[in-house]
Amino acid sequence: DIQMTQSPSSLSASVGDRVTITCRASQKISTYLNWYQQKPGKAPKLLIYAASSLQSGVPSRFSGSGSGTDFTLTIISLQPEDFGTYYCQQSYSYPRTFGQGTKVEIK
Amino acid sequence: QVHLQESGPTLVKPSGTLSLTCTVSGGSISSYYWNWVRQPPGKGLEWIGSIYSSGNTNYNPSLKSRVTISIDTSTDQFSLTLYSVTAADTAVYYCVRQRGCGGSGCYSDQYYFDYWGQGTLVTVSS
């Protein structure tokens, strides 16, 4: 199985801050990497697919980058509604695996 | 707009069988992969398995001996059966559509989970 490791596990930031979340794969996965946002009591929501493609309807303040084993999700100007837990997920091989999540809190 | 809805018992006894059905509406069940993902309370996401509309399946090796996923394209439903459950199987279970990238700048086999059901909490307890 491909292990996905996210850092940090949690963070607290102010509105307007630039926030970066990192995801590392245990082996090279090219750009077969997706990002999701989950709010409490809700299903995850797709933000970014194929490492850097923005899902339709997702605000442009979200962006993704990376290839191989190291990936980042960036929120260029954090908004109050961006609280929640963010997960990376690899689609390079089965079984599909997720990172452990990064909880984002608004200061 | 594609909509997925999970249904089934919310309480299962230890050593029993967990059975859930996902009903797909607003779009075709054909030509997509349909998945089950679960999330224990307060924990992260775990992929259980997937089925293509043709019936081909993939399972998480950690659960493979206890899992069956099936599909009925005539009713636009797919199902999860998990045998010999324990308290560790208590989780919110999501049904999820997986699709391949169809745009520029990505490969057709770059899959992602684009539509999720609301999830259903299944508790394993006597």
Side-chain angles (χ1 to χ4, degrees), chain B residues 21-63:
Chain B
T21 295
C22 182
T23 301
V24 180
S25 59
S28 175
I29 200 169
S30 299
S31 303
Y32 289 99
Y33 286 91
W34 302 94
N35 297 253
W36 290 96
V37 174
R38 70 180 182 178
Q39 185 171 37
K43 296 188 178 181
L45 300 164
E46 179 182 32
W47 177 80
I48 298 170
S50 69
I51 188 165
Y52 191 63
S53 50
S54 63
N56 290 340
T57 55
N58 282 288
Y59 298 126
N60 193 323
S62 67
L63 297 168

Side-chain angles (χ1 to χ4, degrees), chain A residues 31-32 34 36 38 91 96, chain B residues 39 98 109-111 113:
Chain A
T31 57
Y32 289 65
N34 309 311
Y36 304 86
Q38 185 179 34
S91 62
R96 304 306 197 209
Chain B
Q39 185 171 37
Q98 179 180 238
D109 67 341
Q110 286 186 292
Y111 292 97
F113 299 132

Side-chain angles (χ1 to χ4, degrees), chain B residues 109-126:
Chain B
D109 67 341
Q110 286 186 292
Y111 292 97
Y112 49 90
F113 299 132
D114 61 344
Y115 286 101
W116 297 65
Q118 65 183 22
T120 185
L121 175 62
V122 179
T123 302
V124 178
S125 175
S126 55

